[in-house]
Amino acid sequence: MRSGALLGLLAFCPATFGLDRNALLDEANLLLLPRERQLPNLEFVDEHGQAVATDSLRGRWHLLFFGFTACPDICPTTLSDMRRLFGQLPPSISDQLQLILVSADPARDTPEALRTYLGYYRAGFKGWTGDMRQLQELSKALGLPFIPAENTEGDYSVSHSGNLAIVSPEGKLRGYIRTPLKLDGLRQALSQVIEAE
């Protein structure tokens, strides 16, 4: 009976750990994909006017977010929350993370506009802008949709997802941080995801 109980315990433990991990991810509103997804090779311009490509996502963890500098609500709230989150993470974790705001409004979001806007947050966030077709291709590959403005004259808005894509150091889509952002859960969940891989 003892050996049977021991076997039962051994069989039960992995499932228990799995449930704990799933509960942690749920509390963080964080979704990990069963398999990482390759991203297309695309080229953009960063907030300093330098050429960048999706290949540059290799080597560290990235959080990609589609938005625009004239956004009245979702973008400033998300960037403020992420700045707060980065400040609460241990340096061993936050040093491995880079957030990139990818423009859904390249007509207005010049490198200078991105640099000025992201500078307000004083968090080291990066920005990408560029050709609309490439931006839409990246949006589709990441599963972060946005609807380009039909008229880019005057005051206009752009509809976009509030979720953030998690890209692994291999430069592949690993999962999503979904809205509403749950900072308390994310502190633990992001640390575990990064330390486990």
Side-chain angles (χ1 to χ4, degrees):
M1 289 181 64
R2 288 183 180 175
S3 61
L6 181 59
L7 286 172
L9 180 62
L10 290 172
F12 178 72
C13 283
T16 303
F17 292 145
L19 289 173
D20 289 345
R21 179 180 169 88
N22 288 339
L24 183 63
L25 295 176
D26 285 345
E27 287 173 11
N29 222 359
L30 195 156
L31 172 69
L32 294 180
L33 300 175
R35 294 179 61 185
E36 292 186 342
R37 294 183 196 160
Q38 190 73 45
L39 297 179
N41 188 22
L42 302 168
E43 295 185 357
F44 303 98
V45 178
D46 70 11
E47 76 280 10
H48 298 291
Q50 300 297 313
V52 290
T54 44
D55 280 350
S56 68
L57 297 174
R58 295 175 181 271
R60 69 188 299 190
W61 290 88
H62 286 84
L63 303 178
L64 272 68
F65 171 70
F66 273 85
F68 61 112
T69 58
C71 180
D73 41 35
I74 296 174
C75 298
T77 300
T78 299
L79 293 173
S80 294
D81 283 346
M82 295 311 292
R83 177 184 61 185
R84 189 175 308 116
L85 174 64
F86 277 38
Q88 295 171 348
L89 291 170
S92 61
I93 300 299
S94 61
D95 289 349
Q96 297 185 60
L97 279 169
Q98 177 66 64
L99 185 141
I100 300 175
L101 171 66
V102 184
S103 177
D105 181 21
R108 288 183 293 191
D109 289 346
T110 63
E112 183 180 0
L114 281 172
R115 186 170 66 253
T116 300
Y117 181 70
L118 294 170
Y120 296 143
Y121 296 93
R122 301 183 182 276
F125 296 155
K126 300 289 186 182
W128 286 3
T129 188
D131 178 76
M132 178 60 82
R133 287 173 297 179
Q134 299 231 20
L135 291 166
Q136 286 184 297
E137 191 172 345
L138 181 60
S139 163
K140 183 177 179 181
L142 291 173
L144 299 177
F146 72 90
I147 302 172
E150 292 184 10
N151 183 0
T152 56
E153 297 294 327
D155 187 21
Y156 62 90
S157 190
V158 180
S159 297
H160 62 93
S161 170
N163 295 339
L164 295 97
I166 304 169
V167 177
S168 73
E170 288 73 40
K172 297 179 180 179
L173 178 62
R174 185 69 184 90
Y176 298 96
I177 297 173
R178 299 176 293 184
T179 55
L181 300 181
K182 298 182 178 181
L183 301 190
D184 289 340
L186 279 170
R187 279 199 303 272
Q188 286 185 290
L190 269 179
S191 295
Q192 284 210 6
V193 168
I194 289 172
E195 289 173 343
E197 300 194 18

